Amino acid sequence: MDKQPHLLLSPCPFLEMNLNSILETFQNHFCIVWFSEFIKNSKQLGEKIVGILTFSEQTYINKKLLDLLPNLKVVSVFGVGVDHLDLTLIRSYGVKICNLPGIVTSPTADMAMALLLASARNIVSGVQQVKNSEPTNPIIADTAVEITGSIMGILGMGTIGLAVAKRARGFDMTILYHNRKRRPVEEEQEVGATFCPYLLDMLTQIDFLVVCVDLNSSSTKMIGEQEFRAMKPSATVVNIARGLVIDQDALVTALSEGWIRGAALDVTYPEPLPRGHPLLHLNNVIITPHSGTDIKETFEKMANGCFENTLAGVEDRPFPLPIKV
């Protein structure tokens, strides 16, 4: 066992129930070293570690740790987001980084549409009213909005954004998008999307904003007071990217004061929100627990993809799933 490549792993609370199934994929090829064990025996274990398996938003990989791992070859991310990593620092040590692009595209895009539909048609409040009220009480639908024929704005037309656009076309929605770079014309034509070089111009026109952009220094709190005020009072915001892309204080104000109709969020900051957070007490917001990829089949694909990437990195082979940021 000790002759196997050593893989450093820190437990991830939101994956604790599935952690054993992840480990089953790895344990035939790697000796798992838990981070708590490593801290106690860093001098003895440091030279043995050749890989790190990390999960989104785990921020323990820093210079102090990297200095203890002279033979580290790869940092393997169980997910797509790498905003929790200092990529420049890690690469300066000659360490490769891999994530799981592509695997989560479809389930995440499906989640975006599910949130949009649930918010637009007041699905959650409707279910609650049926369960909690007398059967004869009508469901009040004066805040529901039309989906078919509406205008969707996509912030961040990457792989996931493009998948969302394809789904929106099934509802005859007009697609606008804002990106740092314009997509190829053939891709725009495929989904009938129109590029908007200026974010505020797009926001004034749309009925639904779907946030798909990567989190980085330029996208942090990209949607704030100015952006909410530019939107229609009937507009809905759907966020499947990262919580920090939206200024949550501004979002609370926008929802409370009627600048926008509603919000549907699969991501927040922090996760989970503190129990007293105002977003949890607003009737015009839906919040799900970062569950865009919470499907058994998707999870299995992620575990297998992460294993194949990690093994390739340790064996100095090209990654089957090269990083895309």
Side-chain angles (χ1 to χ4, degrees):
M1 179 70 71
D2 197 58
K3 294 181 179 179
Q4 291 179 320
H6 283 51
L7 186 66
L8 183 62
L9 174 61
S10 179
C12 184
F14 77 87
L15 282 175
E16 280 182 358
M17 293 183 64
N18 298 301
L19 200 53
N20 286 337
S21 62
I22 297 176
L23 294 183
E24 288 176 6
T25 308
F26 284 84
Q27 283 176 326
N28 288 333
H29 292 81
F30 293 97
C31 177
I32 303 297
V33 178
W34 295 102
F35 191 71
S36 56
E37 176 190 357
F38 173 77
I39 291 300
K40 296 176 183 178
N41 302 286
S42 59
K43 290 185 179 179
Q44 178 183 353
L45 293 172
E47 292 188 356
K48 298 180 180 181
I49 303 295
V50 294
I52 297 177
L53 175 60
T54 184
F55 303 94
S56 295
E57 300 184 14
Q58 291 187 332
T59 56
Y60 63 93
I61 302 176
N62 53 30
K63 185 178 187 303
K64 182 178 179 181
L65 175 64
L66 293 171
D67 285 339
L68 296 172
L69 307 174
N71 297 313
L72 182 66
K73 292 186 174 184
V74 61
V75 171
S76 184
V77 181
F78 192 91
V80 175
V82 293
D83 47 275
H84 60 297
L85 299 176
D86 186 334
L87 302 182
T88 302
L89 173 67
I90 294 171
R91 285 168 174 157
S92 73
Y93 280 76
V95 176
K96 295 163 288 189
I97 307 163
C98 55
N99 63 347
L100 300 174
I103 292 177
V104 304
T105 297
S106 290
T108 306
D110 290 348
M111 188 68 179
M113 294 305 298
L115 288 169
L116 186 152
L117 293 164
S119 179
R121 298 303 303 271
N122 295 330
I123 298 297
V124 175
S125 58
V127 170
Q128 291 172 339
Q129 186 164 1
V130 168
K131 287 187 174 182
N132 299 330
S133 303
E134 292 296 327
T136 54
N137 285 359
I139 296 175
I140 299 173
D142 59 348
T143 58
V145 292
E146 190 77 45
I147 302 165
T148 300
S150 61
I151 303 174
M152 174 187 284
I154 298 176
L155 175 57
M157 185 79 100
T159 305
I160 293 174
L162 189 64
V164 171
K166 290 177 181 178
R167 287 154 176 74
R169 290 293 286 172
F171 291 88
D172 294 325
M173 299 176 82
T174 298
I175 311 297
L176 308 179
Y177 77 97
H178 175 74
N179 243 17
R180 286 182 298 175
K181 296 180 180 179
R182 184 173 179 174
R183 299 291 304 224
V185 173
E186 56 270 21
E187 290 183 356
E188 292 181 343
Q189 293 175 343
E190 180 185 4
V191 295
T194 301
F195 176 62
C196 296
Y198 301 105
L199 176 59
L200 290 178
D201 287 349
M202 182 182 79
L203 295 178
T204 63
Q205 304 176 61
I206 60 175
D207 301 301
F208 299 96
L209 173 66
V210 181
V211 180
C212 306
V213 70
D214 292 333
L215 179 64
N216 51 51
S217 58
S218 61
S219 65
T220 299
K221 296 190 177 181
M222 192 175 190
I223 304 297
E225 179 177 346
Q226 182 182 21
E227 288 72 28
F228 287 125
R229 287 188 179 277
M231 299 173 70
K232 302 175 185 177
S234 58
T236 301
V237 175
V238 177
N239 190 4
I240 55 165
R242 285 288 186 266
L244 274 167
V245 175
I246 293 178
D247 182 334
Q248 282 186 175
D249 292 335
L251 175 61
V252 170
T253 303
L255 292 167
S256 301
E257 298 187 4
W259 301 353
I260 59 174
R261 171 191 168 272
L265 315 171
D266 191 41
V267 288
T268 60
Y269 67 93
E271 292 177 356
L273 289 172
R275 294 301 83 192
H277 197 283
L279 280 176
L280 298 176
H281 304 287
L282 292 172
N283 293 327
N284 54 347
V285 62
I286 296 171
I287 304 176
T288 50
H290 204 151
S291 53
T293 59
D294 285 359
I295 305 169
K296 181 181 178 181
E297 291 81 4
T298 301
F299 191 86
E300 290 173 350
K301 290 177 184 177
M302 292 174 70
N304 291 331
C306 191
F307 166 73
E308 294 295 341
N309 262 349
T310 306
L311 190 61
V314 169
E315 295 178 350
D316 296 315
R317 294 184 285 107
F319 292 125
L321 299 168
I323 191 168
K324 292 182 180 179
V325 294

